[in-house]
Structure formats: C-alpha cells, structure tokens
C-alpha cells in the first residue's frame, strides 16, 4: 500500500543510475516484455532471489525464468542466493524449480552451501560458488557516485546499520563507541517491520538514501551492522567492522563470505560481548588477495556464460 513512499530513495537512485524496464506483474507480462525486446540472454541473481519466503505469489518461479520456457534464449544464474543453508521449498516448488533450472545454460550461487542445495534438490551438479555482484566493483568505482565535496566529519565516526534493532544491540554499540571514543551515526529506518507501517508512521520506515549510505560507510572509522550488504561495503571500503549474525534474514550468506575471506572472527552473535572482537586486526592484504582471485573467477564465469 505504501510501497512508493517507502522506496522513494531507492527508486530515485535506481532511476538515475540503472536502465530499468517498466513494472512487470505476472508471467505473461514478463514473457511479452522478453519477446518484445528480443533479448539474447537473461541473467537472474542475486540477493535471496531463490528464497521462497521473499518471493511469494508465483514470483519464485519468475526467479527461475519460468516465463521463457518455450523461447530460444540463454538463461544464466549469477550468484543466485537461497539465503540459508537448509532447504525451504515445498515438494511442488522443488519439482517445478528443478524443471526450470534444467534449461539454464550456466548456474552459479552466492553461498557455498547453495552448491550442495542445487546438487541435492535441483539436479544441477555444475553450480559454481561466486561473489555477490556488489563485490565485482571496487571502492573507487562506488566513490564516483558520491558528491565531489563529500568530506569526512571531524572526530571519529562509528557507523551502525542495524535492520533488526534490540536493546542488546544498542547496549553493545554504545559500549564500543565509548571504548573507541567514536560518535555514533545510526543509519537505518527507525523500524524495519513493514507490516506495522501506517500513513502516520511512513517516515519511520523509509529506506535511507543509497548515496548517503555509501558516503557514511566510506567516512566511518568503524562499522557495526546486522546487514549482509552493510558487511559487504565495509569490506569494499576496508573499514574495520563487526557483523552481528542475522539468522532471520539469512545467516548462511554472512558465514559463506566471511569464511572465504578469512574474516570469520568478525561475525558475532547478538548476545556476544563485541569488545572481544573490537581490536582484532584485519589483514587487509590477505583479504584483497582472496577477493581479487574470486573476482577474476566471477567475471570469467559471466564472460563464458554469455559467449561460450
């Protein structure tokens, strides 16, 4: 009901920086748009695109490109994400999605556990593990989006991006701020449970500006988040960070990336004492080396999938 008001900042960023289709609803509209534009290939991905609880009313099948089954078109999954390590599909969803995925030319997933899920439930033994697409760009490319006069405020800054707030998390954050002598910059909607929004409380739920969000991470001295992409952009901008594992939103995606980069010790439970992680050093040279290798592999997958 309040989608346009709530997504105003995100929509503005997308309209200014991306080439978008019109809104498409239902299988026939997706198919008609595909035929009209004579696409040579379709790529689906990434963030929890294959998680049923986030894709209801048939949209899960759109994420497996069900609308082009009778079309001669190359289908590719790039870093598609189940979000979790366990299988959440019904028997019917499993059967249909396995059929749709069988028509894909190339398949890759974002979590290492997704390789096994594809093999065990969707009959694809060739799925590859690849980077989240946001990690295919480096900090310099994202900084091109930021205002030229963007400057770091005086004094140290602790940026927090907490999607599921709690008194425990707030207490831990302020202990860290006190220990590091940092100002806290909270960057998230006041509330994230969209089921409770009303006309009078829209402003408490509006997503923050993408540009301001990027700029705040870039300017931060430290980041604490329970968001996967808050964690990702801390890594991109080489900011010391603590990621509070968010099991409801998909814990597997946190652990998969952090373990690959040798950063498992940056992951905390909501009940953990964050001060035990606070001063652990990060070997950024090692992280960048692993990232470079994974980025090369990911880009090669895309090149091969589109041309081979």
């Amino acid at each position: 009901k309040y989608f346009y008001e709530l997504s105003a900042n995100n929509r503005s960023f997308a309209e200014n920086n991306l080439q978008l289709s019109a809104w498409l609803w239902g299988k026939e509209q997706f198919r008609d748009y595909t035929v009209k534009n004579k696409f040579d290939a379709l790529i689906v991905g990434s963030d929890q695109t294959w998680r049923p609880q986030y894709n209801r009313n048939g949209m899960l099948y759109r994420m497996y490109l069900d609308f082009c089954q009778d079309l001669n078109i190359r289908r590719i999954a790039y870093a598609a994400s189940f979000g979790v390590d366990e299988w959440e599909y019904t028997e019917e969803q499993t059967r249909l999605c396995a059929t749709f995925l069988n028509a894909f030319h190339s398949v890759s997933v974002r979590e290492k556990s997704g390789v096994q899920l594809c093999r065990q439930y969707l009959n694809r033994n060739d799925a590859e593990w690849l980077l989240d697409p946001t990690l295919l760009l480096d900090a310099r490319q994202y900084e091109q989006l930021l205002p030229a006069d963007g400057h770091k405020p005086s004094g140290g800054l602790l940026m927090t991006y907490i999607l599921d707030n709690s008194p425990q998390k707030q207490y831990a954050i302020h202990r860290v701020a006190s220990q590091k002598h940092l100002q806290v910059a909270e960057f998230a909607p006041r509330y994230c449970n969209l089921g409770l929004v009303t006309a009078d409380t829209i402003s408490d739920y509006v997503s923050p500006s993408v540009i301001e969000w990027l700029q705040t991470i870039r300017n931060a001295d430290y980041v604490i988040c329970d968001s996967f992409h808050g964690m990702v952009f801390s890594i991109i901008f080489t900011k010391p960070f603590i990621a509070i594992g968010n099991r409801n939103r998909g814990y597997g995606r946190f652990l998969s990336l952090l373990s690959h980069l040798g950063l498992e010790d940056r992951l905390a439970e909501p009940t953990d004492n964050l001060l035990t992680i606070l001063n652990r050093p990060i070997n950024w040279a090692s992280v960048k080396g692993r990232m470079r290798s994974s980025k090369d592999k990911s880009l090669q997958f895309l090149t091969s999938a589109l041309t081979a």
Side-chain angles (χ1 to χ4, degrees), residues 63-273:
M63 297 294 181
Y64 284 87
L65 308 180
D66 68 334
F67 52 91
C68 60
Q69 289 302 292
D70 61 337
L71 303 178
N72 182 22
I73 191 168
R74 185 169 293 213
R75 279 153 267 188
I76 299 162
Y78 179 79
S81 169
F82 298 103
V84 292
D85 296 338
E86 65 273 7
W87 192 244
E88 296 182 325
Y89 290 32
T90 65
E91 288 186 12
E92 178 73 358
Q93 288 171 334
T94 300
R95 182 183 65 80
L96 287 172
C97 290
T99 299
F100 299 142
L101 195 60
N102 182 59
F104 275 58
H105 179 269
S106 304
V107 177
S108 64
V109 291
R110 193 182 64 182
E111 288 80 44
K112 292 181 180 178
S113 58
V115 173
Q116 177 59 30
L117 293 178
C118 283
R119 180 182 299 120
Q120 184 174 351
Y121 295 101
L122 298 177
N123 302 321
R124 287 298 298 236
N125 297 321
D126 58 343
E128 298 184 45
W129 174 83
L130 298 176
L131 289 177
D132 185 273
T134 55
L135 290 163
L136 299 182
L137 302 179
D138 59 32
R140 290 172 298 173
Q141 291 166 299
Y142 286 111
E143 285 172 342
Q144 292 173 11
L145 297 168
L146 305 182
D149 61 350
H151 63 279
K152 186 174 179 177
S154 59
L157 190 67
L158 169 63
M159 190 268 206
T160 68
Y161 187 53
I162 302 296
L163 299 181
D164 295 310
N165 220 332
S166 70
Q168 283 179 320
K169 291 179 183 178
Q170 284 301 312
Y171 175 73
I173 286 166
H174 288 284
R175 285 193 71 193
V176 168
S178 176
Q179 184 81 9
K180 299 291 285 186
H181 306 290
L182 299 173
Q183 301 175 48
V184 177
E186 293 185 301
F187 214 91
R190 184 178 176 193
Y191 302 110
C192 291
N193 186 347
L194 298 182
L196 301 178
V197 67
T198 68
D200 295 328
T201 61
I202 287 174
S203 61
D204 289 334
Y205 293 82
V206 173
S207 298
S209 156
V210 176
I211 298 298
E212 291 178 44
W213 185 78
L214 287 172
Q215 194 167 24
T216 305
I217 296 179
R218 194 270 307 272
N219 289 339
D221 294 278
Y222 212 101
V223 177
I224 298 177
C225 59
D226 67 355
S227 149
F228 176 78
H229 282 103
M231 177 185 76
V232 164
F233 278 88
S234 299
I235 295 169
I236 289 171
F237 286 111
T238 61
K239 300 298 179 179
F241 70 94
I242 298 172
I244 301 173
N246 196 323
R247 296 185 182 276
N248 290 334
R249 294 177 184 268
Y251 192 78
R253 57 199 185 129
F254 286 81
L255 192 57
S256 182
L257 179 62
L258 290 177
S259 62
H260 177 69
L261 297 178
L263 292 171
E264 304 99 311
D265 65 350
R266 312 310 300 180
L267 185 61
E269 296 292 336
T271 56
D272 286 349
N273 179 0

Side-chain angles (χ1 to χ4, degrees), residues 22-63:
W23 285 102
L24 302 175
W25 304 102
K27 183 176 179 179
E28 291 307 313
Q29 286 191 21
F30 274 87
R31 187 187 186 283
D32 291 346
Y33 185 82
T34 301
V35 171
K36 177 183 176 182
N37 285 277
K38 300 179 181 179
F39 292 126
D40 297 302
L42 296 177
I43 302 176
V44 61
S46 158
D47 195 24
Q48 306 204 67
T49 46
W50 286 353
R51 192 171 187 189
Q53 75 177 65
Y54 290 162
N55 294 283
R56 301 180 186 275
N57 301 321
M59 190 55 70
L60 179 64
Y61 304 136
R62 302 304 92 77
M63 297 294 181

